[in-house]
Amino acid sequence: MNNLTIATWNVNGLRAGLRNGFLDWLNTTSPDVVCLQEVKAYESQVDVDFSAYGYSAVWNSAEKAGYSGVLTLSKNLPKETRVGLDELRFNDEGRVIRHQYDSFYLYNIYFPNGQRGHDRVEYKLDFYSSLLEECLKLIAAGKNVIITGDFNTAHQEMDLANPKENQNTSGFLPEERAAVTEFLDAGFVDVFRKLYPDLVKYTWWTYRFQARKRNIGWRLDYYLVNSNFVGAVRDVIVEDQVTGSDHCPVLLKLEC
């Protein structure tokens, strides 16, 4: 059995994160795998040799400059890595990297935002559906799956500070919440909520209204684990004291 720590963090611009202490956090926390979202950069724009910190780096940047993008840093090389989803229409925005490790598949995902005018809610829901279909095929083949990243949805009322005021806000629409429920109904487990059913923790705060100082936030960053693999989970830690982005890092502790 090996102890393993995975981190997820929407850094809201990796270049800004590097100016705001990201490498100090990386050195101090030293996760085995780091899943970053919304990196907003091409590899050529980031002047850091992550191998000097003990990590290999896999990028999936959006075609559009300064937008979206995911990056995975890993101390041990995965057996296999793939960018994007099976459904190709979702693959120009740099939202998905899938890694195969010894005992599980790991998805690092920056889920689409439905936008303030709900312009992209349908696209977002289709993305959720396509991902679920793909993951269920892996599970049917006897594989374990961990999905992590910025889900851009608060699932329950306790997952945001002002649920009543946000009933019509993308990120808390009934159809978006139902899309997360579909994963749970299909056998995935929100392992933070399983371990801490009554604990209110947020992972994102708007930069406006001194929201972080007042802890007016949303829980948008999750680990979903297929039920057969939940026994490997030892803890989920929301590092809400770590600044440097409008999101905070979330750690998953495994013994597998």
Side-chain angles (χ1 to χ4, degrees), residues 83-223:
V83 298
L85 291 176
D86 288 343
E87 196 168 342
L88 299 180
R89 70 184 176 107
F90 296 117
N91 291 348
D92 60 350
E93 296 185 351
R95 295 191 175 276
V96 180
I97 307 175
R98 186 184 81 184
H99 306 278
Q100 181 186 1
Y101 292 95
D102 286 340
S103 53
F104 58 89
Y105 282 81
L106 173 65
Y107 280 86
N108 173 11
I109 303 186
Y110 179 40
F111 287 79
N113 189 310
Q115 301 298 338
R116 186 165 295 182
H118 302 183
D119 308 22
R120 300 195 82 200
V121 170
E122 184 176 353
Y123 177 86
K124 176 181 180 179
L125 297 177
D126 287 350
F127 183 99
Y128 270 96
S129 179
S130 182
L131 172 67
L132 179 57
E133 181 180 348
E134 185 175 314
C135 290
L136 290 179
K137 289 177 183 176
L138 289 172
I139 293 169
K143 310 299 183 184
N144 295 311
V145 176
I146 299 171
I147 307 168
T148 194
D150 176 4
F151 279 65
N152 258 315
T153 300
H155 184 226
Q156 301 178 36
E157 288 195 353
M158 68 186 301
D159 292 322
L160 70 166
N162 295 313
K164 291 182 179 178
E165 294 85 343
N166 286 286
Q167 297 290 332
N168 296 313
T169 302
S170 181
F172 195 60
L173 296 174
E175 57 267 41
E176 294 170 319
R177 298 168 64 192
V180 177
T181 300
E182 285 183 18
F183 279 80
L184 306 185
D185 289 345
F188 278 93
V189 177
D190 172 1
V191 287
F192 173 81
R193 189 53 71 212
K194 177 179 173 60
L195 290 170
Y196 303 105
D198 302 314
L199 181 61
V200 173
K201 283 280 188 177
Y202 305 130
T203 66
W204 174 80
W205 305 260
T206 179
Y207 284 129
R208 297 176 294 167
F209 315 125
Q210 294 187 307
R212 188 155 191 176
K213 183 177 180 181
R214 298 162 63 198
N215 200 29
I216 301 172
W218 297 49
R219 187 171 75 99
L220 301 177
D221 305 85
Y222 292 74
Y223 289 95

Side-chain angles (χ1 to χ4, degrees), residues 35-51:
C35 298
L36 303 178
Q37 303 89 40
E38 207 173 356
V39 295
K40 296 182 179 179
Y42 302 122
E43 183 176 3
S44 59
Q45 296 176 303
V46 176
D47 188 23
V48 175
D49 178 7
F50 287 107
S51 66

Side-chain angles (χ1 to χ4, degrees), residues 3-8 31-33 104 106 145-148 189-192 195 222-225 229-230 232-239 249-255:
N3 293 319
L4 192 70
T5 300
I6 300 172
T8 186
D32 298 285
V33 184
F104 58 89
L106 173 65
V145 176
I146 299 171
I147 307 168
T148 194
V189 177
D190 172 1
V191 287
F192 173 81
L195 290 170
Y222 292 74
Y223 289 95
L224 299 188
V225 178
F229 198 55
V230 167
V233 174
R234 293 294 170 263
D235 203 0
V236 180
I237 302 166
V238 176
E239 293 197 312
V250 184
L251 306 181
L252 175 68
K253 300 282 190 177
L254 296 173
E255 187 177 343

